[in-house]
């Protein structure tokens, strides 16, 4: 979609670079021939200024704090849709009709069972294993039961793979949790909806029937939707990068889980609660001392749940979650002191020149953990919940990458600053 050209003159005359216009958002100029025509590469650690692909899945206006999935505002989707509805939208580009949603729901509902041999897989993990390690490993392991997923797949096989992953991840997640607390695995129940079934597998035990609170179901549905996709974030770029070598969908998603686990990315939701709890428990830790630490360049501490590579405004997901947290705690009849601390910390940061000047606002992870806690999830499951929510986004990007004729295997260049060639010294001469 090139409309015009920019000219770059590096001293040996102008080099014309095609400009690509976006539907909305910044245009980009195509540097694919830059190295061949100028001998230069570009330098952009973390690719903060580099578009890696054309995509039509999600658009973020970081300055305005707007997030669209296939053109629909996240606020509308979170309030009006089910998580499976959003999953369909992200994968196939349009909101499903009632009939399409019913078929999609049935197809997924019938695939939630794991191969029974997977039990020994969970048994092999030490009980203290972090569930993100189990989740990423088990996601790879699932593909070993399906030969088709080990090679580049036909379109119908890709759809089947997507349904298999979306159906089975909650089962994997809940079994990882059950293993960690020494309780028996709970099998999925096809009579239950997607979110209800996950809650059933997480919290049911053989000795007592669990009643699933519709408030919890509705809250978790919103939370999963708010995590469903976020364009070229670290974990999604990892999924695309691994998939660009023609690796299968399962192993590409498993790699994305590894990236998500980091505390600068999806692991931040756990780190936020640990930060708030430290302020609550440590008599020496105050809102002021925490803000001071976050500003101190000699202290590696960061205000977790704050800041974003793209948003220079309030993350719209955080805005939804900030009000949602109050509502969920009230509906659950709970009072979490960490929410008050979070609010005070946010107010202090947003009125501090450092955070204002750096344009640091709460992101999706700042309030999500408080809600996950209120819903009864243990701290170490928070990033797992992020992964369940992000799964359709990862798959949608893997599918888009896989079908994009412009896709090439990911292989960036470097600026080498090591030793120039030098003679090899014999051992006695070193
Ligand atoms: C997610 O990309 C996505 O879309 C991610 C995500 C998604 O849905 O996939 O939105 C989910 O990962 C949200 C982010 C969760 N992570 C955290 O909350 C961890 C804390 N935040 C940061 O570490 C940081 O803000 C990042 C990682 C989110 C963004 O890092 P960048 O874009 O690389 O920015 P940077 O580290 O270069 O910081 C720029 C400046 C620096 O100061 P200077 O050296 O320029 O003076 O801002 C400062 C930083 O020190 N800064 C912070 C800060 N975040 C940035 N200072 C204190 N506390 C912070 N949280």
């Amino acid at each position: 979609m090139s409309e015009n050209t920019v000219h770059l003159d590096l001293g040996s005359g102008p080099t014309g670079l095609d400009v690509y216009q976006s539907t909305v958002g910044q245009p980009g100029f195509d540097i694919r021939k830059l190295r061949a025509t100028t001998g230069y590469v570009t330098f952009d650690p973390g690719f903060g200024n580099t578009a890696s692909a054309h995509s039509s899945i999600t658009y973020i206006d970081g300055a305005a704090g707007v997030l669209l999935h296939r053109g629909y505002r996240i606020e509308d989707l979170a309030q009006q849709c089910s998580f499976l509805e959003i999953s369909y939208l992200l994968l196939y580009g349009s909101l499903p009709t009632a009939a399409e949603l019913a078929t999609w729901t049935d197809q997924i509902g019938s695939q939630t069972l794991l191969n029974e041999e997977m039990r020994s897989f969970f048994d092999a993990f030490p009980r203290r294993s972090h569930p993100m390690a189990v989740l990423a490993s088990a996601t790879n392991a699932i593909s070993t039961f399906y030969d088709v997923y080990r090679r580049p797949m036909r379109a119908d096989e890709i759809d089947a793979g997507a349904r298999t992953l979306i159906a089975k991840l909650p089962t994997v997640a809940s079994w990882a949790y059950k293993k960690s607390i020494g309780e028996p695995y709970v099998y999925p129940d096809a009579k239950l909806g997607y979110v209800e079934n996950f809650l059933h597998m997480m919290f049911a035990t053989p000795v007592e029937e669990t009643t699933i609170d519709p408030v919890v179901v509705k809250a978790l549905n919103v939370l999963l939707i708010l995590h469903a996709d976020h364009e070229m974030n670290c974990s999604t770029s990892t999924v695309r990068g691994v998939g660009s070598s023609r690796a299968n969908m399962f192993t590409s998603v498993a790699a994305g889980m590894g990236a998500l686990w980091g505390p600068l990315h999806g692991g931040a939701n756990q780190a936020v609660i640990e930060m708030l709890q430290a302020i609550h428990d440590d008599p020496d830790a105050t809102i002021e001392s925490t803000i001071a630490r976050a500003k101190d360049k000699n202290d590696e501490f960061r205000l977790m749940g704050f800041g974003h590579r793209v948003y220079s405004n309030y993350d719209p997901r955080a805005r939804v979650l900030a009000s949602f947290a109050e509502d969920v705690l009230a509906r659950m009849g709970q009072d979490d002191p960490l929410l008050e601390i979070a609010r005070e910390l946010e107010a202090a940061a947003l009125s501090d020149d450092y955070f204002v000047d750096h344009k640091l606002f709460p992101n999706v992870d700042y309030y999500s953990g408080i809600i996950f806690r209120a819903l009864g999830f243990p701290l170490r499951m928070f990033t797992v919940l992020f992964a369940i929510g992000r799964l359709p986004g990862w798959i949608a990007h893997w599918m888009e990458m896989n079908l994009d004729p412009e896709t090439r295997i990911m292989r960036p260049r470097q600026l080498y600053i090591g030793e120039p060639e030098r003679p090899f010294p014999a051992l006695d001469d070193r």
Side-chain angles (χ1 to χ4, degrees), residues 156-172:
D156 61 318
E157 293 167 339
I158 290 175
D159 290 336
R163 291 195 297 269
T164 299
L165 260 179
I166 292 172
K168 295 184 188 308
L169 202 63
T171 311
V172 169

Side-chain angles (χ1 to χ4, degrees), residues 314-338:
Y314 216 103
D315 182 331
R317 301 166 297 174
R319 200 182 297 283
V320 172
L321 289 171
S323 63
F324 201 50
E326 303 268 6
D327 179 39
V328 169
L329 284 172
R331 301 280 295 270
M332 303 291 288
Q334 293 182 26
D335 175 22
D336 187 345
L338 299 195

